[in-house]
Amino acid sequence: QVQLVESGGGLVQAGGSLRLSCAFFGHTYGMGWFRQAPGKEREFVAHINWSGATTYYADSVKGRFTISRDNAKNTVYLQMNSLKPEDTAVYYCAAGAVARDNPNHYDWWGQGTQVTVSS
């Protein structure tokens, strides 16, 4: 069993930055960030493997977002730079042993944190 708690969301102007954190409690798995805007499906953002050696990004955030983890602190981060209004969504972290960009492959989810980017 894994518990996930996100934090760090908020309101920011376009071009600004935010860093999301996801504290995980339980076994160490690969971790992903997803987002869901109103009226849209949940969208993959980034993935990091259990050790932090491998990362993978959606094309829409590549070069702007960075996923990282500190297993000693049981935390995964999503550094978001050059934010755009279309990045506005609820951001979720998720954990799964064999998952990458398919949300159906993740076994545990956090409660989500709102990110709002104003133009």
Side-chain angles (χ1 to χ4, degrees):
Q1 188 73 13
V2 177
Q3 290 184 312
L4 307 171
V5 180
E6 300 101 332
S7 61
L11 173 64
V12 64
Q13 288 188 331
S17 299
L18 279 175
R19 188 176 79 158
L20 305 183
S21 299
C22 175
F24 60 90
F25 306 93
H27 197 72
T28 301
Y29 288 105
M31 301 284 290
W33 283 98
F34 289 78
R35 64 188 182 187
Q36 188 165 19
K40 294 188 176 182
E41 292 187 352
R42 192 164 295 190
E43 175 190 24
F44 168 75
V45 175
H47 173 267
I48 189 166
N49 78 322
W50 70 272
S51 68
T54 304
T55 58
Y56 180 69
Y57 297 92
D59 288 342
S60 58
V61 306
K62 202 172 294 183
R64 300 189 297 124
F65 291 11
T66 302
I67 189 171
S68 62
R69 68 189 301 158
D70 184 341
N71 287 341
K73 295 182 178 180
N74 284 3
T75 304
V76 174
Y77 304 98
L78 185 68
Q79 177 67 44
M80 305 186 294
N81 299 328
S82 302
L83 283 162
K84 306 175 182 179
E86 51 264 43
D87 294 318
T88 296
V90 177
Y91 282 71
Y92 299 89
C93 68
V98 294
R100 196 176 73 167
D101 57 351
N102 187 335
N104 295 324
H105 293 167
Y106 286 83
D107 299 303
W108 298 279
W109 292 83
Q111 82 288 351
T113 185
Q114 176 71 46
V115 171
T116 303
V117 184
S118 63
S119 57

